Amino acid sequence: MNAAAIAAAVAARKLSALEATEAALARIAQHNGVLNAFTDVTADRAREQARAVDAAIAGGQSVGPLAGVPFAVKNLFDVEGLPTRAGSKINRDRAPAARDATLIERMEAAGAVLVGALNMGEYAYDFTGENIHDGPSRNPHDVTRMSGGSSGGSGSAVGGRLVPIALGSDTNGSIRVPSSFCGIFGLKPTYGRLSRARSFPFVASLDHLGPFARSVEDLALAYDAMQGPDPDDAACTTRAPEPATPLLRRGTGGLRVAMAGGHFQKHLFTEAVEAVARVARALNATEVIEVPEAARARAAAYVISTTEGASLHLDRLRSRPLDFDPAVRDRLIAGAMIPAPLVDRAQKFRRWYRAQVLELFRSVDLLIAPATPCVAPKLGQATFVLDGVELPVRANIGIHTQPISFIGLPVVAVPVPLSPLPIGVQLIAAPWREDIALRVAYALQEMGVAAAPAPKGF
């Protein structure tokens, strides 16, 4: 059952929240040994929360729109009573979190039930979902393949139908890449839309938190439940919540949709080209709009990410270098050595680039772009060939996501169910217009163009 169906059944007392929770816990116990999506299962807490939801219903109290819905979070979210791992070995030595992350609190206020924390790339600096400390999270459509990163456990858990909703983070593509590889929907909201309070950071000026789901309705329900100002996150907007769920069925009439050109039509395998073409045909999008200097934006995003990340981890790099994933450690060390004038140039370019891209939204409401250049690579695969050039997989999976998160635009990643493996497409909107991206995603879902295919063997 998807989240909307579970919540409706629980509210109507056709299913108890405890029954929904036990079903999720059983499915986790059955399949997590293969998928390796969960690092922590909070079974006792989940049962307690589910019983509280059932008691509220029995007492005639109103319950939230996610009543009884099991969900899980990337293990960089603070979960009361657990050390916040952030995918690392070092963080396991931290004291247990004293309070949940804001977004967990808001999900539970809407009636959802937290069942655990999810595997991720170390310190969120990853596109593959391969963690050397906890092992790789695996793709539910082919367990020999990557789930994507850094929110790989989130993609694996939702794609493998262990939970209907999961939360993750996206700095350079870490929601959109697992969505693409695992064949599910993901939302990277506008920068500052959802609170990041009590989550472990990577790059403060680029970090976003957001949901994964197997349907657009579920994605919107989770997004709406988590909106709202939060004084505990200085970057969080003071805008009042702007619910998207009531707008999903408005359709695409009157919306101006175009394909992102230039950089976004290069560096693609045939599956990515076909996925974008299917979405464009369904939306009657024939116009191609050049996004100026997108390749340079990607380079600037790398500079800012690695320097901010290095600054955050400098003490750990000095005191415990051997406890890092070597690939993460070496990139952070390189970031610590980037000259300050280059960082200044990247930040100045960022302001210019944001202004140029925002100007595009005067003539269009939505841009279509590939989410990943390929379907999920094999676990351990080091290189692939793009445009005739052999390139490292880890560094280039986010080639089409980085120029977008760099300036904080809202994006819905929609799964196109190609055979044998799905692949995602980005629906990119202007700041604060998540509603448009979700409306279009819903229309594509209704047309059957976007869908979360059933996993194989799960």
Side-chain angles (χ1 to χ4, degrees):
M1 297 173 69
N2 63 22
I6 291 170
V10 169
R13 304 183 74 171
K14 296 178 180 177
L15 174 73
S16 72
L18 184 59
E19 287 170 332
T21 298
E22 292 291 1
L25 293 173
R27 193 157 174 80
I28 294 164
Q30 182 180 4
H31 297 298
N32 193 58
V34 174
L35 291 176
N36 198 33
F38 281 79
T39 52
D40 304 270
V41 178
T42 55
D44 291 342
R45 169 183 170 146
R47 292 183 177 109
E48 182 180 351
Q49 172 71 3
R51 290 188 184 104
V53 172
D54 289 333
I57 293 171
Q61 300 176 36
S62 61
V63 290
L66 293 170
V69 174
F71 78 106
V73 298
K74 187 174 183 176
N75 70 28
L76 57 66
F77 286 73
D78 282 3
V79 176
E80 183 180 356
L82 295 179
T84 304
R85 299 188 191 206
S88 71
K89 178 180 180 180
I90 296 170
N91 277 29
R92 291 163 214 230
D93 295 341
R94 301 178 87 203
R99 181 181 171 187
D100 292 332
T102 291
L103 296 192
I104 294 176
E105 293 178 346
R106 291 182 176 177
M107 289 287 287
E108 289 195 334
V113 176
L114 181 71
V115 296
L118 298 161
N119 203 350
M120 61 175 283
E122 184 178 78
Y123 290 126
Y125 205 172
D126 165 63
F127 278 133
T128 69
E130 297 170 300
N131 184 294
I132 69 165
H133 311 297
D134 294 308
S137 49
R138 296 184 180 88
N139 194 306
H141 300 284
D142 179 346
V143 296
T144 69
R145 293 179 181 269
M146 298 174 182
S147 61
S150 62
S151 309
S154 302
S156 182
V158 174
R161 306 194 175 187
L162 306 188
V163 287
I165 293 173
L167 306 185
S169 69
D170 190 310
T171 303
N172 284 300
S174 292
I175 287 174
R176 292 159 288 162
V177 168
S179 296
S180 180
F181 286 176
C182 294
I184 57 177
F185 295 90
L187 169 63
K188 184 199 79 65
T190 306
Y191 180 80
R193 172 70 89 174
L194 298 183
S195 172
R196 304 170 302 180
R198 293 176 298 282
S199 65
F200 197 89
F202 172 30
V203 181
S205 70
L206 288 171
D207 289 345
H208 309 65
L209 303 182
F212 296 82
R214 294 191 303 275
S215 74
V216 180
E217 300 96 322
D218 289 1
L219 201 67
L221 283 171
Y223 166 65
D224 288 349
M226 295 186 290
Q227 287 191 54
D230 184 2
D232 290 340
D233 178 5
C236 189
T237 183
T238 57
R239 297 168 72 105
E242 298 171 284
T245 301
L247 308 177
L248 291 181
R249 291 164 178 79
R250 285 193 175 182
T252 60
L255 294 180
R256 302 161 298 174
V257 182
M259 289 176 282
H263 173 81
F264 296 96
Q265 294 189 330
K266 301 174 184 175
H267 323 298
L268 298 169
F269 286 73
T270 56
E271 298 91 344
V273 174
E274 172 61 18
V276 170
R278 287 191 188 186
V279 169
R281 284 196 300 270
L283 298 174
N284 296 314
T286 57
E287 184 181 6
V288 177
I289 291 185
E290 180 78 22
V291 179
E293 298 284 9
R296 186 172 296 178
R298 180 176 177 245
Y302 258 122
V303 169
I304 292 169
S305 295
T306 193
T307 53
E308 282 196 34
S311 177
L312 175 69
H313 291 289
L314 200 55
D315 288 344
R316 280 177 283 271
L317 289 166
R318 286 170 172 156
S319 62
R320 298 183 63 174
L322 298 182
D323 288 331
F324 279 84
D325 176 340
V328 173
R329 179 195 62 215
D330 293 351
R331 280 178 287 157
L332 291 173
I333 290 173
M337 296 187 289
I338 291 177
L342 186 58
V343 181
D344 183 58
R345 284 182 62 190
Q347 293 287 15
K348 288 178 178 176
F349 170 80
R350 184 184 192 178
R351 291 190 290 273
W352 175 87
Y353 175 68
R354 177 178 169 81
Q356 297 301 307
V357 174
L358 292 185
E359 187 67 24
L360 299 179
F361 286 103
R362 291 179 178 271
S363 59
V364 298
D365 298 299
L366 191 90
L367 288 171
I368 304 166
T372 54
C374 58
V375 298
K378 291 282 189 179
L379 289 168
Q381 183 176 332
T383 64
F384 53 20
V385 177
L386 284 176
D387 299 335
V389 179
E390 187 174 19
L391 296 170
V393 166
R394 185 187 288 259
N396 288 283
I397 288 173
I399 195 168
H400 303 110
T401 55
Q402 289 171 292
I404 304 305
S405 43
F406 181 57
I407 51 173
L409 300 182
V411 186
V412 173
V414 299
V416 178
L418 303 183
S419 182
L421 293 169
I423 190 170
V425 170
Q426 296 185 88
L427 306 179
I428 306 161
W432 316 113
R433 296 314 306 264
E434 289 88 349
D435 62 307
I436 289 178
L438 286 163
R439 275 172 57 193
V440 174
Y442 184 81
L444 291 167
Q445 178 183 267
E446 290 297 284
M447 289 184 274
V449 176
K456 298 174 181 176
F458 296 97

